[in-house]
Amino acid sequence: MLNMPISLCSTGIADSTKYQNEILELNLDNCRSTSIVGLTDEYTALETLSLINVGLTTLKGFPKLPNLKKLELSDNRISSGLHYLTTSPKLQYLNLSGNKIKDLETLKPLKEFKNLNILDLFNNDATQVENYREKIFKMLPSLNFLDGFDCNDEEVQSEGDDDDEVNGNDSEDEVSGGDDDEEDSDESEDGENGDVSLSEVYNDDLEEDNSDWEEGEGGDEDEDEDSDIDEADGDPNESAASVNNAKDEKDAEKPDETHARGKKRKHDG
């Protein structure tokens, strides 16, 4: 597409170039004018023309644009004169939303466009006609979409919508995969919690034995024993033999402990 410094004004199109016949797209949105002035037949290669919110009340003087495929005329004040567009027979897309078209009779010139497949008439009085959609689709057999919907009231999907749908599916798969990972993690944690080390069992036994002692007695000895047990618990890979050896060594260092315990229990009895 060749970009040109062109603008539409009350005195016509100010054009500083001689390459009109090479321009493929022309955007004249918001350039105020009530009629087509200065846009000539020299734009023979033009495929897209946009005249949104220009203030047009008539299409009189619309140029012959043999390659025009897309025409934007929304938000103007056009109420008739669509026959001026028939000099662009390749037209495929026509947006007339936000104009002053009141009846279906005004739209009959569009029957000349054999390739017209997208038409937008939103916010025109003609859309209030009874069975408006059915009548338009019948009038224009080539039409695929009217006001963004097909004849079965299915909304047209843009490329962006298709991408969102694909991404949405991908995201569901990812979420599903995440749940599986969570379950695996839970199973792993359950497995770890289910294994009880021998040092813990040994610690439980000591606690049961200590419950028979009165408060204050045997405190130092128990503290030493608990210290040994804590050291054993600090290394989860320590074997049961190491734990038992630690206990035996402790008992050997304190030969009178068993005897003292026997006396205590007998005394309590």
Side-chain angles (χ1 to χ4, degrees):
M1 181 185 70
L2 189 62
N3 294 321
M4 297 297 178
I6 300 173
S7 63
L8 185 66
C9 59
S10 59
T11 57
I13 294 182
D15 187 3
S16 60
T17 181
K18 58 182 179 181
Y19 300 109
Q20 296 97 325
N21 61 347
E22 297 181 18
I23 296 175
L24 299 179
E25 183 173 342
L26 187 58
N27 188 322
L28 300 172
D29 297 349
N30 304 308
C31 297
R32 307 302 293 176
S33 180
T34 57
S35 60
I36 304 292
V37 179
L39 187 62
T40 66
D41 297 345
E42 295 177 357
Y43 295 87
T44 55
L46 196 63
E47 295 181 356
T48 300
L49 175 61
S50 186
L51 294 166
I52 298 174
N53 192 35
V54 172
L56 295 174
T57 58
T58 179
L59 292 173
K60 185 177 181 179
F62 194 85
K64 183 179 180 180
L65 303 173
N67 290 301
L68 189 66
K69 297 178 181 178
K70 182 176 181 178
L71 179 59
E72 290 276 3
L73 291 171
S74 61
D75 299 325
N76 284 289
R77 293 180 289 167
I78 299 168
S79 60
S80 61
L82 298 183
H83 61 280
Y84 290 114
L85 301 178
T86 56
T87 54
S88 303
K90 292 184 179 180
L91 198 62
Q92 300 174 4
Y93 173 103
L94 177 59
N95 190 344
L96 288 166
S97 62
N99 278 279
K100 304 295 182 181
I101 299 173
K102 296 183 178 181
D103 52 55
L104 302 188
E105 188 72 20
T106 304
L107 300 170
K108 283 188 175 181
L110 299 182
K111 294 165 67 174
E112 300 295 322
F113 297 104
K114 305 303 179 183
N115 299 312
L116 185 64
N117 55 56
I118 298 176
L119 176 63
D120 197 335
L121 295 169
F122 179 75
N123 202 21
N124 279 275
D125 291 344
T127 60
Q128 303 303 316
V129 174
E130 186 178 0
N131 298 323
Y132 148 76
R133 290 181 56 79
E134 291 81 356
K135 290 177 179 178
I136 293 294
F137 277 112
K138 185 177 180 180
M139 180 191 301
L140 307 172
S142 64
L143 203 62
N144 292 326
F145 295 99
L146 174 62
D147 303 336
F149 292 84
D150 64 14
C151 59
N152 297 317
D153 287 336
E154 294 290 336
E155 187 173 7
V156 58
Q157 286 190 346
S158 66
E159 293 180 2
D161 294 334
D162 294 338
D163 292 340
D164 290 342
E165 186 175 348
V166 171
N167 292 334
N169 291 336
D170 290 341
S171 120
E172 287 178 4
D173 293 340
E174 289 174 3
V175 170
S176 176
D179 293 340
D180 293 340
D181 293 342
E182 249 184 73
E183 291 176 3
D184 293 342
S185 174
D186 292 340
E187 290 176 5
S188 175
E189 291 177 3
D190 292 341
E192 291 177 0
N193 295 334
D195 296 335
V196 181
S197 68
L198 291 175
S199 61
E200 291 175 348
V201 174
Y202 178 61
N203 189 43
D204 291 339
D205 290 339
L206 285 181
E207 288 178 358
E208 290 179 3
D209 289 342
N210 291 338
S211 66
D212 296 333
W213 284 63
E214 288 184 357
E215 265 187 27
E217 294 192 21
D220 293 338
E221 291 84 357
D222 291 341
E223 242 180 318
D224 293 337
E225 288 181 6
D226 290 340
S227 173
D228 291 339
I229 299 309
D230 290 340
E231 289 177 4
D233 288 341
D235 185 359
N237 296 322
E238 187 175 4
S239 65
S242 299
V243 176
N244 291 330
N245 288 340
K247 184 177 184 304
D248 293 341
E249 289 175 2
K250 197 68 179 178
D251 292 342
E253 290 175 2
K254 299 179 181 181
D256 296 331
E257 182 181 351
T258 304
H259 184 64
R261 285 186 183 179
K263 285 184 178 181
K264 181 64 181 173
R265 288 174 181 166
K266 185 175 180 181
H267 176 73
D268 293 341

mmCIF file of all heavy atoms in Angstrom, residues 149-175:
data_model
loop_
_atom_site.group_PDB
_atom_site.id
_atom_site.type_symbol
_atom_site.label_atom_id
_atom_site.label_comp_id
_atom_site.label_asym_id
_atom_site.label_seq_id
_atom_site.Cartn_x
_atom_site.Cartn_y
_atom_site.Cartn_z
ATOM 1 N N PHE A 149 -23.862 -10.920 12.161
ATOM 2 C CA PHE A 149 -24.416 -12.256 12.362
ATOM 3 C C PHE A 149 -24.794 -12.862 11.013
ATOM 4 O O PHE A 149 -25.183 -12.137 10.085
ATOM 5 C CB PHE A 149 -25.654 -12.207 13.260
ATOM 6 C CG PHE A 149 -25.355 -11.825 14.685
ATOM 7 C CD1 PHE A 149 -25.250 -10.485 15.046
ATOM 8 C CD2 PHE A 149 -25.174 -12.790 15.659
ATOM 9 C CE1 PHE A 149 -24.966 -10.122 16.347
ATOM 10 C CE2 PHE A 149 -24.899 -12.431 16.970
ATOM 11 C CZ PHE A 149 -24.791 -11.096 17.314
ATOM 12 N N ASP A 150 -24.708 -14.189 10.923
ATOM 13 C CA ASP A 150 -25.120 -14.846 9.689
ATOM 14 C C ASP A 150 -26.629 -15.091 9.724
ATOM 15 O O ASP A 150 -27.320 -14.689 10.660
ATOM 16 C CB ASP A 150 -24.325 -16.134 9.462
ATOM 17 C CG ASP A 150 -24.574 -17.193 10.529
ATOM 18 O OD1 ASP A 150 -25.563 -17.050 11.298
ATOM 19 O OD2 ASP A 150 -23.805 -18.159 10.590
ATOM 20 N N CYS A 151 -27.121 -15.793 8.722
ATOM 21 C CA CYS A 151 -28.569 -15.996 8.621
ATOM 22 C C CYS A 151 -29.111 -16.903 9.726
ATOM 23 O O CYS A 151 -30.321 -16.951 9.964
ATOM 24 C CB CYS A 151 -28.926 -16.563 7.244
ATOM 25 S SG CYS A 151 -28.110 -18.130 6.876
ATOM 26 N N ASN A 152 -28.235 -17.638 10.408
ATOM 27 C CA ASN A 152 -28.642 -18.497 11.520
ATOM 28 C C ASN A 152 -28.392 -17.834 12.870
ATOM 29 O O ASN A 152 -28.394 -18.498 13.909
ATOM 30 C CB ASN A 152 -27.880 -19.825 11.455
ATOM 31 C CG ASN A 152 -28.213 -20.603 10.196
ATOM 32 O OD1 ASN A 152 -29.372 -20.697 9.799
ATOM 33 N ND2 ASN A 152 -27.186 -21.161 9.564
ATOM 34 N N ASP A 153 -28.159 -16.512 12.844
ATOM 35 C CA ASP A 153 -27.895 -15.736 14.059
ATOM 36 C C ASP A 153 -26.625 -16.175 14.775
ATOM 37 O O ASP A 153 -26.493 -16.009 15.997
ATOM 38 C CB ASP A 153 -29.084 -15.810 15.030
ATOM 39 C CG ASP A 153 -30.265 -14.987 14.541
ATOM 40 O OD1 ASP A 153 -30.031 -14.040 13.767
ATOM 41 O OD2 ASP A 153 -31.409 -15.308 14.905
ATOM 42 N N GLU A 154 -25.688 -16.730 14.020
ATOM 43 C CA GLU A 154 -24.377 -17.056 14.574
ATOM 44 C C GLU A 154 -23.452 -15.859 14.381
ATOM 45 O O GLU A 154 -23.320 -15.338 13.269
ATOM 46 C CB GLU A 154 -23.782 -18.283 13.868
ATOM 47 C CG GLU A 154 -24.553 -19.573 14.114
ATOM 48 C CD GLU A 154 -24.417 -20.067 15.543
ATOM 49 O OE1 GLU A 154 -23.409 -19.704 16.192
ATOM 50 O OE2 GLU A 154 -25.308 -20.795 16.004
ATOM 51 N N GLU A 155 -22.823 -15.429 15.476
ATOM 52 C CA GLU A 155 -21.970 -14.249 15.417
ATOM 53 C C GLU A 155 -20.677 -14.539 14.670
ATOM 54 O O GLU A 155 -20.069 -15.596 14.839
ATOM 55 C CB GLU A 155 -21.655 -13.755 16.822
ATOM 56 C CG GLU A 155 -20.918 -12.426 16.859
ATOM 57 C CD GLU A 155 -20.762 -11.891 18.269
ATOM 58 O OE1 GLU A 155 -21.102 -12.621 19.215
ATOM 59 O OE2 GLU A 155 -20.314 -10.735 18.420
ATOM 60 N N VAL A 156 -20.265 -13.585 13.852
ATOM 61 C CA VAL A 156 -19.009 -13.735 13.124
ATOM 62 C C VAL A 156 -17.861 -13.685 14.124
ATOM 63 O O VAL A 156 -17.848 -12.878 15.042
ATOM 64 C CB VAL A 156 -18.835 -12.642 12.047
ATOM 65 C CG1 VAL A 156 -18.885 -11.260 12.650
ATOM 66 C CG2 VAL A 156 -17.541 -12.841 11.287
ATOM 67 N N GLN A 157 -16.878 -14.586 13.951
ATOM 68 C CA GLN A 157 -15.728 -14.626 14.835
ATOM 69 C C GLN A 157 -14.529 -13.998 14.165
ATOM 70 O O GLN A 157 -14.198 -14.315 13.031
ATOM 71 C CB GLN A 157 -15.386 -16.074 15.215
ATOM 72 C CG GLN A 157 -16.364 -16.684 16.201
ATOM 73 C CD GLN A 157 -15.853 -18.011 16.723
ATOM 74 O OE1 GLN A 157 -14.930 -18.590 16.173
ATOM 75 N NE2 GLN A 157 -16.451 -18.492 17.794
ATOM 76 N N SER A 158 -13.897 -13.097 14.885
ATOM 77 C CA SER A 158 -12.681 -12.477 14.361
ATOM 78 C C SER A 158 -11.505 -13.385 14.627
ATOM 79 O O SER A 158 -11.595 -14.358 15.363
ATOM 80 C CB SER A 158 -12.453 -11.112 15.024
ATOM 81 O OG SER A 158 -12.179 -11.280 16.399
ATOM 82 N N GLU A 159 -10.358 -13.056 14.021
ATOM 83 C CA GLU A 159 -9.150 -13.839 14.233
ATOM 84 C C GLU A 159 -8.740 -13.804 15.694
ATOM 85 O O GLU A 159 -8.241 -14.777 16.240
ATOM 86 C CB GLU A 159 -8.014 -13.307 13.352
ATOM 87 C CG GLU A 159 -8.264 -13.528 11.869
ATOM 88 C CD GLU A 159 -7.133 -12.990 11.014
ATOM 89 O OE1 GLU A 159 -6.156 -12.484 11.594
ATOM 90 O OE2 GLU A 159 -7.214 -13.089 9.776
ATOM 91 N N GLY A 160 -8.958 -12.659 16.355
ATOM 92 C CA GLY A 160 -8.620 -12.539 17.768
ATOM 93 C C GLY A 160 -9.420 -13.506 18.623
ATOM 94 O O GLY A 160 -8.903 -14.099 19.562
ATOM 95 N N ASP A 161 -10.738 -13.722 18.285
ATOM 96 C CA ASP A 161 -11.573 -14.654 19.028
ATOM 97 C C ASP A 161 -11.060 -16.068 18.899
ATOM 98 O O ASP A 161 -11.053 -16.847 19.844
ATOM 99 C CB ASP A 161 -13.032 -14.595 18.539
ATOM 100 C CG ASP A 161 -13.672 -13.256 18.839
ATOM 101 O OD1 ASP A 161 -13.215 -12.604 19.795
ATOM 102 O OD2 ASP A 161 -14.603 -12.861 18.128
ATOM 103 N N ASP A 162 -10.626 -16.444 17.673
ATOM 104 C CA ASP A 162 -10.095 -17.785 17.455
ATOM 105 C C ASP A 162 -8.857 -18.012 18.289
ATOM 106 O O ASP A 162 -8.670 -19.070 18.891
ATOM 107 C CB ASP A 162 -9.761 -17.989 15.962
ATOM 108 C CG ASP A 162 -11.017 -17.973 15.099
ATOM 109 O OD1 ASP A 162 -12.092 -18.219 15.657
ATOM 110 O OD2 ASP A 162 -10.911 -17.699 13.884
ATOM 111 N N ASP A 163 -7.979 -16.992 18.363
ATOM 112 C CA ASP A 163 -6.751 -17.120 19.150
ATOM 113 C C ASP A 163 -7.081 -17.298 20.619
ATOM 114 O O ASP A 163 -6.474 -18.113 21.316
ATOM 115 C CB ASP A 163 -5.864 -15.877 18.969
ATOM 116 C CG ASP A 163 -5.310 -15.781 17.561
ATOM 117 O OD1 ASP A 163 -5.299 -16.829 16.875
ATOM 118 O OD2 ASP A 163 -4.891 -14.681 17.145
ATOM 119 N N ASP A 164 -8.088 -16.522 21.117
ATOM 120 C CA ASP A 164 -8.471 -16.630 22.518
ATOM 121 C C ASP A 164 -8.978 -18.023 22.833
ATOM 122 O O ASP A 164 -8.697 -18.588 23.892
ATOM 123 C CB ASP A 164 -9.575 -15.613 22.864
ATOM 124 C CG ASP A 164 -9.053 -14.196 22.858
ATOM 125 O OD1 ASP A 164 -7.819 -14.037 22.935
ATOM 126 O OD2 ASP A 164 -9.855 -13.255 22.764
ATOM 127 N N GLU A 165 -9.757 -18.603 21.885
ATOM 128 C CA GLU A 165 -10.308 -19.932 22.115
ATOM 129 C C GLU A 165 -9.207 -20.965 22.211
ATOM 130 O O GLU A 165 -9.207 -21.844 23.068
ATOM 131 C CB GLU A 165 -11.269 -20.273 20.968
ATOM 132 C CG GLU A 165 -12.002 -21.590 21.188
ATOM 133 C CD GLU A 165 -13.036 -21.841 20.104
ATOM 134 O OE1 GLU A 165 -13.323 -20.904 19.341
ATOM 135 O OE2 GLU A 165 -13.533 -22.966 20.037
ATOM 136 N N VAL A 166 -8.226 -20.854 21.300
ATOM 137 C CA VAL A 166 -7.102 -21.793 21.325
ATOM 138 C C VAL A 166 -6.338 -21.655 22.618
ATOM 139 O O VAL A 166 -5.997 -22.621 23.289
ATOM 140 C CB VAL A 166 -6.172 -21.538 20.118
ATOM 141 C CG1 VAL A 166 -4.893 -22.349 20.272
ATOM 142 C CG2 VAL A 166 -6.879 -21.910 18.825
ATOM 143 N N ASN A 167 -6.063 -20.403 23.020
ATOM 144 C CA ASN A 167 -5.334 -20.186 24.260
ATOM 145 C C ASN A 167 -6.117 -20.689 25.456
ATOM 146 O O ASN A 167 -5.550 -21.196 26.415
ATOM 147 C CB ASN A 167 -5.041 -18.686 24.436
ATOM 148 C CG ASN A 167 -4.059 -18.181 23.402
ATOM 149 O OD1 ASN A 167 -3.264 -18.953 22.885
ATOM 150 N ND2 ASN A 167 -4.107 -16.892 23.111
ATOM 151 N N GLY A 168 -7.451 -20.519 25.382
ATOM 152 C CA GLY A 168 -8.275 -21.004 26.486
ATOM 153 C C GLY A 168 -8.163 -22.501 26.642
ATOM 154 O O GLY A 168 -8.049 -23.027 27.742
ATOM 155 N N ASN A 169 -8.179 -23.258 25.504
ATOM 156 C CA ASN A 169 -8.047 -24.701 25.571
ATOM 157 C C ASN A 169 -6.704 -25.101 26.138
ATOM 158 O O ASN A 169 -6.592 -26.024 26.938
ATOM 159 C CB ASN A 169 -8.216 -25.311 24.158
ATOM 160 C CG ASN A 169 -9.645 -25.177 23.671
ATOM 161 O OD1 ASN A 169 -10.567 -25.053 24.472
ATOM 162 N ND2 ASN A 169 -9.843 -25.185 22.362
ATOM 163 N N ASP A 170 -5.664 -24.380 25.695
ATOM 164 C CA ASP A 170 -4.330 -24.680 26.204
ATOM 165 C C ASP A 170 -4.280 -24.472 27.698
ATOM 166 O O ASP A 170 -3.699 -25.235 28.444
ATOM 167 C CB ASP A 170 -3.282 -23.778 25.513
ATOM 168 C CG ASP A 170 -3.102 -24.168 24.049
ATOM 169 O OD1 ASP A 170 -3.492 -25.296 23.693
ATOM 170 O OD2 ASP A 170 -2.565 -23.351 23.302
ATOM 171 N N SER A 171 -4.953 -23.360 28.134
ATOM 172 C CA SER A 171 -4.900 -23.062 29.540
ATOM 173 C C SER A 171 -5.625 -24.108 30.380
ATOM 174 O O SER A 171 -5.232 -24.436 31.460
ATOM 175 C CB SER A 171 -5.474 -21.684 29.729
ATOM 176 O OG SER A 171 -6.505 -21.635 30.491
ATOM 177 N N GLU A 172 -6.729 -24.687 29.833
ATOM 178 C CA GLU A 172 -7.436 -25.735 30.550
ATOM 179 C C GLU A 172 -6.553 -26.964 30.719
ATOM 180 O O GLU A 172 -6.536 -27.608 31.765
ATOM 181 C CB GLU A 172 -8.703 -26.126 29.793
ATOM 182 C CG GLU A 172 -9.799 -25.076 29.879
ATOM 183 C CD GLU A 172 -11.020 -25.461 29.085
ATOM 184 O OE1 GLU A 172 -11.031 -26.578 28.537
ATOM 185 O OE2 GLU A 172 -11.944 -24.646 29.004
ATOM 186 N N ASP A 173 -5.812 -27.294 29.653
ATOM 187 C CA ASP A 173 -4.908 -28.427 29.734
ATOM 188 C C ASP A 173 -3.865 -28.195 30.794
ATOM 189 O O ASP A 173 -3.503 -29.091 31.556
ATOM 190 C CB ASP A 173 -4.228 -28.663 28.369
ATOM 191 C CG ASP A 173 -5.240 -29.113 27.324
ATOM 192 O OD1 ASP A 173 -6.305 -29.587 27.749
ATOM 193 O OD2 ASP A 173 -4.956 -28.978 26.112
ATOM 194 N N GLU A 174 -3.367 -26.938 30.839
ATOM 195 C CA GLU A 174 -2.338 -26.633 31.816
ATOM 196 C C GLU A 174 -2.896 -26.752 33.226
ATOM 197 O O GLU A 174 -2.258 -27.264 34.127
ATOM 198 C CB GLU A 174 -1.806 -25.215 31.587
ATOM 199 C CG GLU A 174 -0.957 -25.120 30.319
ATOM 200 C CD GLU A 174 -0.571 -23.681 30.042
ATOM 201 O OE1 GLU A 174 -0.930 -22.821 30.870
ATOM 202 O OE2 GLU A 174 0.088 -23.429 29.025
ATOM 203 N N VAL A 175 -4.147 -26.249 33.408
ATOM 204 C CA VAL A 175 -4.761 -26.338 34.729
ATOM 205 C C VAL A 175 -4.939 -27.788 35.128
ATOM 206 O O VAL A 175 -4.679 -28.201 36.251
ATOM 207 C CB VAL A 175 -6.132 -25.617 34.735
ATOM 208 C CG1 VAL A 175 -6.876 -25.920 36.011
ATOM 209 C CG2 VAL A 175 -5.903 -24.123 34.579
#
